[in-house]
C-alpha cells in the first residue's frame, strides 16, 4: 500500500494529467492512494475569487468564468471534445459555488474561504479519476472531507487523529484492495460536515495523514525538481540533489523555509517509520531523494533563504536583565500575536529575533512590546539557514550582504542579512 502525491504544477494542463496516468501505469503499485492538489495556479485564482466576493468587486464573474473555463477546456482537451460525464459532474460542483456567491457574505470570512477554495481540489480529482478510468485503470474518487476530520478552525484545520484514523481504517482501507483511489489534498471536514482547509500547500501533509492512518509502505511526492536539492534553484544556478536524508534534517530544512515539502509532512511519517520519496514527474525513472530513518548527516551543506524578514531587538526599559521573567513575557506576546520566531539571540540587556515581516501583525506586536521594552527594528532583510555549514558555503551566501545577526550551533548557522544590492 503506497501513497502518491501530485501537486498543482504536475497537473497544470492536459499533458500533466496524461503524464500522471503514465506514471501510475508504469509503477504498478498493488494498492495505491493518490492525493492531488488543485490544478496549476487554481488555488490562487480561487483565493482571488473569495476576495472579490468578500469585498464585492466587479471582477467576481470574470474570475469565476476563468476558473470554470480552465477546467472545461482541460476536460475537452483530454477527452477530445467527446462529452464525458465528468463535464457535468464538474459543472454541478461549480453550481454549489454559484449558490454561495448569490448570498451576501455573512461575516465568517475564513469559513467562506474554505468553501470556495476547496473546490479546486474537488474538481481536479474528479477530472483525474475520470481520466484514469478512461485509461483502463479502475479508479474510485474519494471525498477527503469524509476522512480527514478536523476541528472548526477554518483555513488552518487541526486534525482529529483518532477519528481520522478510525474512519480511514474502516472505510478506506478495504476499498484500496479493489481500486486505485484518488482523493484531495489540502481539505478536510468537520463533525457538522463543513469543509475546512489545512493551510496553504497542505497537500503534502494530507498525503502524510493518509499514509499514517493506512500504515502505508511509502509516500512519493512527485515534483518538478529531481528531488530535494541543497539550495533553492530559484535563487542559485548551481545546486546538487541529495540522495538520502534523515527525517530530522528534513524537518530542520523545511521548518526554516525549504519549500520542497510542507514542514508538517515529516512527523506523521517518522512516527510510523514510513519512507518519503521526492521524485520528478518530468523524469519519473530517476531515483530522487529518500527521506527516512537514518542517522547519516547530509552529504553536503544545504542552505535556505527566507526573504522579507524583520529583525526586532528588544531591551527592557528598566535596565533589568533579559532573563527568565522577561523572556517569558516576551515569548507570551509573540505567541499571542501568532508571530513565529525564525532565529533568536540574547545578551544581558537585549533580545533579538527575526520574524516573517507580516506588516499588520508585526506592527501590533511592536506596539504591545513597547509598553515594557524599548524596541528597535529593521525591515527588508534576509535570513539564511545553513545546515552542516562550512566556510565555503558561508562565503557563497554572504556575497554582497551585510550581516546583522549570526547564530551558530554545531550543525546549523543562521545569519540575518541586508542585501546590499537592494540599498
Ligand atoms: N492547492 C493548495 C495550495 O495551492 C494545496 C497544495 O497545493 O498543497 O496551497
Ligand atoms: Mg501546490
Amino acid at each position: 500500500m503506497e501513497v502518491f502525491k501530485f501537486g498543482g504544477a504536475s497537473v497544470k494542463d492536459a499533458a500533466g494529467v496524461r503524464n500522471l496516468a503514465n506514471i501510475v501505469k508504469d509503477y504498478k503499485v498493488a494498492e495505491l492512494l493518490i492525493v492531488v492538489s488543485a490544478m496549476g495556479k487554481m488555488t490562487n485564482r480561487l483565493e482571488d475569487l473569495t476576495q472579490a466576493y468578500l469585498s464585492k468587486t466587479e471582477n467576481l464573474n470574470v474570475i469565476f468564468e476563468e476558473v470554470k473555463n480552465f477546467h472545461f477546456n482541460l476536460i475537452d482537451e483530454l477527452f477530445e471534445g467527446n462529452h464525458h460525464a465528468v463535464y457535468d459532474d464538474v459543472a454541478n460542483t461549480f453550481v454549489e459555488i454559484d449558490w454561495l456567491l448569490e448570498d451576501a457574505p455573512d461575516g465568517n470570512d475564513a469559513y467562506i474561504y474554505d468553501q470556495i477554495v476547496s473546490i479546486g481540489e474537488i474538481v481536479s480529482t474528479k477530472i483525474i479519476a475520470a481520466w484514469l478510468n478512461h485509461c483502463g485503470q479502475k479508479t474510485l474518487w474519494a471525498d477527503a472531507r469524509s476522512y480527514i476530520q478536523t476541528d472548526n478552525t477554518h483555513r488552518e484545520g487541526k486534525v482529529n487523529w483518532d477519528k481520522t484514523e478510525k474512519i480511514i481504517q474502516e472505510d478506506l482501507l478495504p476499498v484500496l484492495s479493489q481500486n486505485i483511489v484518488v482523493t484531495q489534498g489540502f481539505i478536510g471536514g468537520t463533525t457538522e460536515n463543513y469543509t475546512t482547509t489545512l493551510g496553504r500547500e497542505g497537500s503534502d501533509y494530507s498525503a502524510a495523514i493518509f499514509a499514517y492512518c493506512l500504515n502505508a509502505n511509502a509516500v512519493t511526492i512527485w515534483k518538478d525538481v529531481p528531488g530535494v536539492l541543497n539550495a533553492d534553484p530559484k535563487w542559485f544556478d548551481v545546486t546538487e540533489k541529495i540522495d538520502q536524508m534523515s527525517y530530522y534534517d528534513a524537518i530542520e530544512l523545511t521548518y526554516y523555509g525549504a519549500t520542497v515539502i510542507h514542514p508538517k509532512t515529516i512527523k506523521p511519517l517518522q512516527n510510523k517509520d514510513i519512507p518519503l520519496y521526492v521524485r520528478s514527474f518530468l523524469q519519473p525513472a530517476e531515483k530522487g531523494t529518500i527521506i527516512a530513518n537514518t542517522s547519516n548527516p547530509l552529504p553536503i551543506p544545504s542552505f535556505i533563504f527566507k526573504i522579507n524578514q524583520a529583525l526586532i531587538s528588544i531591551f527592557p526599559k528598566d535596565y533589568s536583565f533579559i532573563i527568565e521573567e522577561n523572556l517569558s513575557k516576551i515569548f507570551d506576546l509573540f505567541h499571542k500575536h501568532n508571530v513565529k520566531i525564525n532565529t533568536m539571540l540574547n545578551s544581558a540587556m537585549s533580545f533579538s529575533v527575526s520574524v516573517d515581516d507580516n506588516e499588520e501583525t508585526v506592527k501590533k506586536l511592536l506596539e504591545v512590546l513597547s509598553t515594557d521594552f524599548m524596541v528597535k527594528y529593521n525591515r527588508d532583510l534576509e535570513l539564511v539557514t545553513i545546515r552542516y555549514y562550512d566556510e565555503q558555503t558561508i562565503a557563497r551566501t554572504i556575497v554582497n550582504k551585510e550581516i546583522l545577526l549570526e547564530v551558530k550551533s554545531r550543525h546549523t548557522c543562521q545569519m540575518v542579512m541586508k542585501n546590499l544590492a537592494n540599498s
Side-chain angles (χ1 to χ4, degrees), residues 203-408:
S203 293
D204 294 347
Y205 182 43
S206 301
I209 299 168
F210 278 110
Y212 176 97
C213 297
L214 289 163
N215 294 313
N217 296 323
V219 174
T220 304
I221 297 184
W222 296 93
K223 301 274 309 179
D224 56 0
V225 285
V228 180
L229 307 174
N230 73 325
D232 190 335
K234 252 191 274 167
W235 306 98
F236 287 88
D237 293 338
V238 184
T239 57
E240 275 180 71
K241 181 181 72 95
I242 296 161
D243 293 337
Q244 190 199 53
M245 179 185 278
S246 65
Y247 293 123
Y248 193 105
D249 282 331
I251 288 184
E252 287 287 336
L253 292 175
T254 52
Y255 180 83
Y256 288 116
T259 52
V260 63
I261 337 163
H262 191 283
K264 280 160 100 176
T265 314
I266 308 297
K267 180 180 183 291
L269 301 181
Q270 187 281 339
N271 290 174
K272 289 231 176 142
D273 207 359
I274 302 168
L276 170 64
Y277 295 87
V278 180
R279 303 175 67 158
S280 162
F281 62 77
L282 300 167
Q283 292 160 308
E286 298 296 319
K287 267 177 46 200
T289 299
I290 171 171
I291 299 167
N293 183 12
T294 155
S295 52
N296 292 344
L298 294 178
I300 41 172
S302 295
F303 50 101
I304 305 128
F305 272 88
K306 254 181 187 278
I307 56 167
N308 198 24
Q309 295 294 295
L311 179 64
I312 307 175
S313 297
I314 302 160
F315 312 86
K317 279 185 180 162
D318 62 359
Y319 270 64
S320 58
F321 298 134
I322 285 281
I323 46 172
E324 291 74 6
E325 198 192 332
N326 275 327
L327 281 175
S328 91
K329 200 185 273 171
I330 293 169
F331 279 123
D332 192 46
L333 290 173
F334 274 77
H335 179 66
K336 280 205 183 106
H337 288 79
N338 220 347
V339 177
K340 187 184 131 198
I341 295 175
N342 292 326
T343 188
M344 58 186 161
L345 184 69
N346 71 315
S347 70
M349 284 277 300
S350 80
F351 182 60
S352 300
V353 299
S354 92
V355 301
D356 292 349
D357 194 358
N358 177 334
E359 262 191 78
E360 278 289 288
T361 34
V362 171
K363 201 172 138 221
K364 279 196 201 123
L365 173 68
L366 293 175
E367 265 168 36
V368 290
L369 277 170
S370 38
T371 315
D372 292 324
F373 303 95
M374 199 177 83
V375 185
K376 287 191 192 161
Y377 66 93
N378 253 303
R379 319 190 92 142
D380 210 10
L381 304 175
E382 296 173 3
L383 168 70
V384 64
T385 304
I386 312 174
R387 187 92 182 126
Y388 303 108
Y389 60 90
D390 58 14
E391 286 315 311
Q392 208 188 337
T393 313
I394 291 179
R396 192 179 164 195
T397 53
I398 62 174
V399 177
N400 221 359
K401 310 274 163 87
E402 181 196 350
I403 303 169
L404 303 183
L405 182 122
E406 184 175 331
V407 185
K408 277 181 180 166

Side-chain angles (χ1 to χ4, degrees), residues 56-324:
K56 302 196 177 88
T57 45
E58 282 163 15
N59 56 355
L60 180 92
N61 287 328
V62 178
I63 301 172
F64 198 20
E65 283 309 306
E66 192 196 308
V67 170
K68 288 184 195 171
N69 288 335
F70 172 89
H71 293 95
F72 291 141
N73 291 339
L74 198 144
I75 295 173
D76 278 342
E77 201 182 328
L78 277 176
F79 297 99
E80 294 168 342
N82 294 318
H83 194 89
H84 190 283
V86 74
Y87 196 100
D88 298 332
D89 197 3
V90 167
N92 287 337
T93 311
F94 288 134
V95 169
E96 289 172 35
I97 298 300
D98 274 323
W99 288 339
L100 189 151
L101 299 178
E102 272 170 24
D103 294 333
D106 64 357
N108 193 347
D109 294 1
Y111 163 82
I112 298 283
Y113 174 101
D114 283 354
Q115 313 316 304
I116 297 179
V117 172
S118 56
I119 292 296
E121 268 69 13
I122 300 289
V123 293
S124 85
T125 47
K126 288 198 163 163
I127 297 169
I128 286 155
W131 180 249
L132 286 169
N133 277 313
H134 176 85
C135 298
Q137 316 243 31
K138 205 167 148 244
T139 303
L140 265 187
W141 178 85
D143 191 331
R145 295 170 295 189
S146 312
Y147 297 102
I148 309 260
Q149 301 294 301
T150 72
D151 66 1
N152 292 321
T153 322
H154 286 288
R155 299 193 64 162
E156 202 65 58
K158 305 276 172 301
V159 176
N160 180 329
W161 284 91
D162 290 340
K163 262 172 89 181
T164 302
E165 187 168 22
K166 188 163 180 288
I167 299 176
I168 289 180
Q169 280 283 333
E170 284 174 7
D171 299 348
L172 189 60
L173 191 58
V175 180
L176 279 155
S177 57
Q178 309 293 329
N179 310 269
I180 295 173
V181 176
V182 169
T183 195
Q184 306 80 42
F186 179 54
I187 69 175
T190 65
T191 329
E192 303 85 27
N193 284 326
Y194 290 121
T195 306
T196 49
T197 57
L198 308 177
R200 284 301 306 265
E201 305 300 331
S203 293
D204 294 347
Y205 182 43
S206 301
I209 299 168
F210 278 110
Y212 176 97
C213 297
L214 289 163
N215 294 313
N217 296 323
V219 174
T220 304
I221 297 184
W222 296 93
K223 301 274 309 179
D224 56 0
V225 285
V228 180
L229 307 174
N230 73 325
D232 190 335
K234 252 191 274 167
W235 306 98
F236 287 88
D237 293 338
V238 184
T239 57
E240 275 180 71
K241 181 181 72 95
I242 296 161
D243 293 337
Q244 190 199 53
M245 179 185 278
S246 65
Y247 293 123
Y248 193 105
D249 282 331
I251 288 184
E252 287 287 336
L253 292 175
T254 52
Y255 180 83
Y256 288 116
T259 52
V260 63
I261 337 163
H262 191 283
K264 280 160 100 176
T265 314
I266 308 297
K267 180 180 183 291
L269 301 181
Q270 187 281 339
N271 290 174
K272 289 231 176 142
D273 207 359
I274 302 168
L276 170 64
Y277 295 87
V278 180
R279 303 175 67 158
S280 162
F281 62 77
L282 300 167
Q283 292 160 308
E286 298 296 319
K287 267 177 46 200
T289 299
I290 171 171
I291 299 167
N293 183 12
T294 155
S295 52
N296 292 344
L298 294 178
I300 41 172
S302 295
F303 50 101
I304 305 128
F305 272 88
K306 254 181 187 278
I307 56 167
N308 198 24
Q309 295 294 295
L311 179 64
I312 307 175
S313 297
I314 302 160
F315 312 86
K317 279 185 180 162
D318 62 359
Y319 270 64
S320 58
F321 298 134
I322 285 281
I323 46 172
E324 291 74 6

Side-chain angles (χ1 to χ4, degrees), residues 5 7-8 37 201:
K5 183 260 168 173
S37 308
E201 305 300 331

